[in-house]
Amino acid sequence: MKPPAFDYAAPGSLDEALALLAAKRDGAKLLAGGQSFVPALNFRLARPELIIDLNRVPGLAGIRRDGDGGLLIGAMTRARAIERSEVVARSNPLLHSAIPWIAHVPIRNRGTIGGSLAHADPAAELPAIALACDAILVATGILGKRDIAARDFFLGVFTTALRAGEILTEIRFPAWPPNRRHGFAEFARRHGDFAIVGVAATIDVAADGAVGDARIVVFGAGDTPRRAREAEAALAGSHPDTGALQRAAALAANHVDPPSDHHASAEYRRELAGTLTRRVLEQALAPRARAA
Amino acid sequence: MSASTSPGAPWIGRPLRRAEDARFLDGSARYVGDLKRPGMLHGVVLRSDHAHARVRSIDARTALALPGVVAVYTFEDIRRLARPIPLRLGPCPGLERFLQLPLAEGKVRYVGEPLAFLVAEGRYVAEDALELVQVEYEALDPVVDVHAARADRSLLHEALGTNVGSHYTVEKGDVSAAFAGADYTRRETFRCHRQTAAPMETRGLLAEFDAAGRRLRLWGATKVPFYNRRWLAGALDLPEAGVELIEVDVGGSFGVRGELYPEDFLVPFAAMRLGRPVKWIEDRREHFVATNHSREIECELEIACTLDGEIIGLRGRLLADMGAYVRTNGGLVPAKAAQFLPGPYRIPNVGCEVFALLTNKTPVGTYRGPGFYESSFFRERLFDLATADLRLDPAEFRRRNLVTAGEMPYGIENLCPFDADAAYDSGDFVLAFERALAEFDYARVKTLNGTLQDGRLQGVGLGCFVESGGAGPAETARLKVAAGGRIELYTGCSTMGQGHETAMAQIGADSLGLPVEAFSVFHGSTTLVEQGYGTYNSRAMAMGGSAVKLAAENLIAQLLAHVARMHEIEPAALEYSRGAIVRREDHRTLATLAGIAAAAQAGDGQARAAIECSGTFNQTRRTYSYGTNIAHVAVDPETARVEVLRFLAVDDVGRAINPLLVHGQMLGAAVQGIGGTFLDELIYDEQGQLLTGSFADYLLPTATEFPNVEVISLEAVPSTLNPLGVRGAGEGGIIATGAALANAVAHALAPLGVKITELPLSPNKLAQKMREARAAAE
Ligand SMILES: Cc1cc2nc3c(=O)[nH]c(=O)nc-3n(C[C@H](O)[C@H](O)[C@H](O)COP(=O)(O)OP(=O)(O)OC[C@H]3O[C@@H](n4cnc5c(N)ncnc54)[C@H](O)[C@@H]3O)c2cc1C
């Protein structure tokens, strides 16, 4: 479990990092928190010629609010910083509530939001949250920046829309409407493990109590996190009772096409998708659900 | 000749903190991975990627050409010396045919089997080179379960014509008659899954050979260093005295560490060939395929009893998955599982047919509570299925059948092909059982069985066990009076983190009437005592501790004789008291330990002879610890998540030398067993590839999983088999965990029509059971 030989660079600026990346193209790998990448390196599953360490690049970490009440999070921001941020707690309670489900404190101390999104593990929490919140992921290359919507970003297992030569630099979360409620649940074998299945939801509730926009994202049950659109549609405009939540949960369960592996069969994952969807919706619609 | 008490006495029974903790906590402990020798090389093992294949060729030319690579050894290089890894224990008939050579000869039989040993200047370059070795395989049909093994269609060891390593039957009473005449019988098939101990520190070795002196030193030994030295000396063609096995700090064993493995031959072999020290540290990925697995047994078990719950017979058939070869522990695991199927119960007629079967998986060995964990699960689960049929209370049923104190000693006859007749020498099984029920408020809690509370199904389960420990045949300790009257205590036991340095000092302190601070405890080299055995089978206190006590008695007698000679009086006129030798009549101090040590130091030959003494404790009979576990669980019927609301383990250790250490052993064992029941699982696919080869997939309990574990160690009935009265304390906590938890989950899910007959209790499997039960109900 020792890595093969590699070159290492610790650029002091984003431009320098981009130049190194452009020069090496596929032979280079970015190092963020290293919590996913370094194990892969030691198992020799990753064999980069050059490792470009982003940890000394200034300006990539930080949490700010933008003018529209949205949230701007630098790609190198540690999960732990997001977890402890008052700003995040106030302006995106779903993100705030999901972070403690990621691994353990020592891993969250190192792991970054950009690393998690770029890594695109289908069972990871942050990609699901990005999708549920319609986050915009900002990719920077030598030619400039481009915005990628979360729904266009996750293409498959460990596969994203980032192009060779691009660095994920920032994540923008749109403003959280005051009438938005949320729920989050996941099932893992142990505390801190990657989810077997997880569900994140937001529900915008109108003044009369009717469901407006609903977002239900199931993760761990397919190649990428996915919105359960039929379930969302079934809820929209309704005053859901228990039966309606059950039906929405069943739609979400039917919608997923989960893999089977030694931790969980496809049937089991499908059942969990249904159960967790119902629970997450109940959480979101519970009388004292937390609003922004 | 009595040792009167020192101010701190008695030391035995005090919950002293471990003397060794300081170095573990401040980082100054030294593990084999920390050691460096001048000119040291690093070895890595080339392991088979195939579960079953003929090896057409191994081409290491490109690897050898890589700068920094020193040597690559394959079977051809060791052919002259190579002898199979010996079968140290558990010689079930026939197993001796299936031993493993240190490197594969022409054929590989499990993923991870060593094919070559590569030595280089550093670990990184060694791993680079490993990738350059070309192995040409011809794949064969893998045998991945016991049924395929029994069918003998694909053979692991063709020349032997069978995959059945051993097949034997044991019986006591008249089993067929008991079953023929029984009011009630019930048969079920149970399965226990493959697990491994996963100590925090993986294995590792460092060998250094002094060619001129023909002296080999091997660091990284533990468990059974003396046995290993003897074998290694033979295998490497060295005199036994020229081989020193050295134990440094060890991060856990639980049975799997310290046995002879292929690497124990390969590392010193390479050091001797190359004339330079060679170090090999097993990495975690290797550990999962290279270090012994355990526990995988299928058991068809049948009970016969009267309608009011008196057991009259138990008969079973065990199919044990041995992996691809038989290693040092032989058939110990299935043999103990069969022998202890009746456990702590009075069962007049018992029979068991045992098959030890070879499969294309990592070989098995002993893991904490070997065979006992498995058979307790089989038996206790069957009991609860039977009591449900008969509408009897599970506790009442057990109470009725437990062997009582009045029946002790209770002969268990000979249900094992390589052991003599055995007996439970003493004990009060019922007392431990009743204590557990009372502590748990069992009568009240059990009314929750099968009820839904806050959406979760509740279940309470029991498991009783007995466990043999304290294996002989002997252990030795040596005591030496050092400057200032301090005592050096040398033991033949090894230690893997149990705290023996502290506990041995406590025994020494009471035996010599001195404070524990006066002792320095040494273990960890085959040069310290003449003949030691090591640490396994919860034996360190029963055997090693008793040896300390005998050594102290011998030392006192020797010192009295010495002082008597000096003063020309009868030894009977003297007595030993707290480090001094005094005249009985006037209590005048004639000599002190410090004084005699000083005389020895100054060249007094007689004093030198007097200050050092050994003691050997011989005992071939095992001690038995016993107890009861109770689990209360809540199962989420939608997600199949099981929460352990409360887990209690009560056992009798006879006497606790250090209650804090016993508590730690019990608690650790219980959590390890609970984790083993829910989480740990070595899963192979149909090609014999291990799917759970890292800690991301092989799940161990972390600090947060099972917070509600309580243990109570009783000192109810001292063992009659050693002067300290101790029973084993290292394994008792793990043995009935699977049994109690499976019963608890089974009671919780009974209303759904779910039957539990398999471990682990993983959510995936429980969910499947519930799905099947729902489908059947529709
Ligand atoms: C024991 C353990 C448990 C874990 N459990 C969970 C869990 O429950 N849930 C979960 O979500 N995660 C879990 N993780 C993963 C952890 O959250 C990782 O930190 C995270 O997925 C990756 O972030 P990182 O900063 O460590 O990225 P790295 O490991 O440094 O990088 C990961 C990948 O992303 C690329 N990358 C990194 N940053 C950028 C960037 N800015 N632009 C483009 N590409 C980039 C890298 O090149 C690499 O390919 C666990 C990790 C461990 C070790």
Side-chain angles (χ1 to χ4, degrees), chain B residues 220-343:
Chain B
T222 186
K223 191 169 179 177
V224 285
F226 291 85
Y227 178 88
N228 291 2
R229 172 175 69 164
R230 203 172 318 131
W231 184 84
L232 269 178
L236 297 168
D237 215 359
L238 291 170
E240 199 174 323
V243 179
E244 184 183 359
L245 263 61
I246 306 162
E247 181 197 343
V248 286
D249 284 317
V250 173
S253 161
F254 313 109
V256 298
R257 190 189 175 88
E259 293 287 350
L260 281 170
Y261 282 92
E263 298 84 359
D264 291 69
F265 172 84
L266 297 171
V267 176
F269 168 81
M272 289 174 69
R273 268 294 179 89
L274 298 169
R276 286 172 69 180
V278 175
K279 177 169 168 175
W280 164 76
I281 301 291
E282 183 183 55
D283 70 28
R284 187 60 69 179
R285 188 163 45 167
E286 288 184 279
H287 179 84
F288 278 112
V289 293
T291 291
N292 287 343
H293 293 176
S294 202
R295 301 261 199 265
E296 190 175 12
I297 300 183
E298 180 178 314
C299 174
E300 196 181 295
L301 192 62
E302 188 174 15
I303 188 171
C305 58
T306 64
L307 293 180
D308 59 357
E310 182 184 330
I311 308 172
I312 50 183
L314 195 64
R315 66 180 167 198
R317 175 190 290 144
L318 286 184
L319 305 179
D321 185 328
M322 303 300 291
Y325 297 94
V326 172
R327 280 188 178 163
T328 49
N329 301 134
L332 192 108
V333 174
K336 291 290 146 182
Q339 183 183 12
F340 289 93
L341 270 175

Side-chain angles (χ1 to χ4, degrees), chain B residues 751-765:
Chain B
L752 305 183
V754 166
K755 187 170 84 182
I756 303 290
T757 52
E758 282 177 37
L759 296 181
L761 303 169
S762 65
N764 190 37
K765 287 199 185 132

Side-chain angles (χ1 to χ4, degrees), chain B residues 10 24 50 65 106 146 151 166 168 199 280 303 326 339 369-370 386 422 431 499 552 612 703:
Chain B
F24 293 139
H50 281 256
V146 286
S166 184
Y168 68 87
W280 164 76
I303 188 171
V326 172
Q339 183 183 12
L431 177 138
E612 194 170 343

Side-chain angles (χ1 to χ4, degrees), chain B residues 291-580:
Chain B
T291 291
N292 287 343
H293 293 176
S294 202
R295 301 261 199 265
E296 190 175 12
I297 300 183
E298 180 178 314
C299 174
E300 196 181 295
L301 192 62
E302 188 174 15
I303 188 171
C305 58
T306 64
L307 293 180
D308 59 357
E310 182 184 330
I311 308 172
I312 50 183
L314 195 64
R315 66 180 167 198
R317 175 190 290 144
L318 286 184
L319 305 179
D321 185 328
M322 303 300 291
Y325 297 94
V326 172
R327 280 188 178 163
T328 49
N329 301 134
L332 192 108
V333 174
K336 291 290 146 182
Q339 183 183 12
F340 289 93
L341 270 175
Y345 302 97
R346 180 192 320 102
I347 306 180
N349 306 292
V350 180
C352 192
E353 182 180 18
V354 176
F355 288 89
L357 298 154
L358 281 291
T359 61
N360 290 113
K361 294 191 261 186
T362 295
V364 304
T366 54
Y367 164 34
R368 206 173 199 175
F372 291 87
Y373 170 91
E374 301 89 318
S375 58
S376 298
F377 162 65
F378 305 147
R379 175 189 65 243
E380 300 288 323
R381 193 71 275 280
L382 182 63
F383 281 6
D384 276 15
L385 289 167
T387 51
D389 284 349
L390 296 170
R391 297 184 192 290
L392 298 172
D393 176 58
E396 190 46 45
F397 178 84
R398 287 173 172 80
R399 184 179 286 125
R400 167 150 202 189
N401 291 291
L402 281 170
V403 174
T404 62
E407 292 168 275
M408 296 291 170
Y410 182 82
I412 57 170
E413 300 191 24
N414 189 348
L415 293 174
C416 176
F418 49 80
D419 267 359
D421 268 24
Y424 301 152
D425 64 297
S426 60
D428 194 338
F429 300 170
V430 178
L431 177 138
F433 175 71
E434 298 294 355
R435 174 72 187 272
L437 296 184
E439 289 286 340
F440 210 83
D441 200 3
Y442 173 80
R444 186 185 61 78
V445 182
K446 114 182 156 186
T447 61
L448 297 172
N449 266 339
T451 64
L452 211 49
Q453 311 279 330
D454 292 335
R456 294 188 302 171
L457 289 159
Q458 307 273 311
V460 184
L462 292 172
C464 300
F465 71 92
V466 64
E467 192 246 335
S468 74
E475 194 52 82
T476 300
R478 183 162 61 88
L479 295 171
K480 184 176 174 193
V481 185
R486 289 189 57 78
I487 307 293
E488 293 172 356
L489 188 163
Y490 300 85
T491 170
C493 286
S494 41
T495 190
M496 308 88 167
Q498 296 94 332
H500 294 152
E501 291 170 35
T502 305
M504 295 288 182
Q506 288 178 266
I507 296 168
D510 278 3
S511 307
L512 289 176
L514 297 172
V516 282
E517 295 79 23
F519 286 78
S520 305
V521 178
F522 299 91
H523 59 87
S525 164
T526 44
T527 57
L528 296 181
V529 299
E530 224 159 73
Q531 180 56 282
Y533 287 85
T535 294
Y536 46 94
N537 196 231
S538 305
R539 73 187 296 275
M541 289 304 113
M543 298 301 300
S546 296
V548 170
K549 188 166 168 31
L550 295 187
E553 286 166 12
N554 294 344
L555 179 67
I556 290 171
Q558 193 171 290
L559 291 168
L560 291 177
H562 169 69
V563 176
R565 218 171 17 249
M566 271 172 37
H567 290 269
E568 297 182 336
I569 50 179
E570 282 299 301
L574 299 176
E575 70 182 14
Y576 173 86
S577 170
R578 299 183 204 171

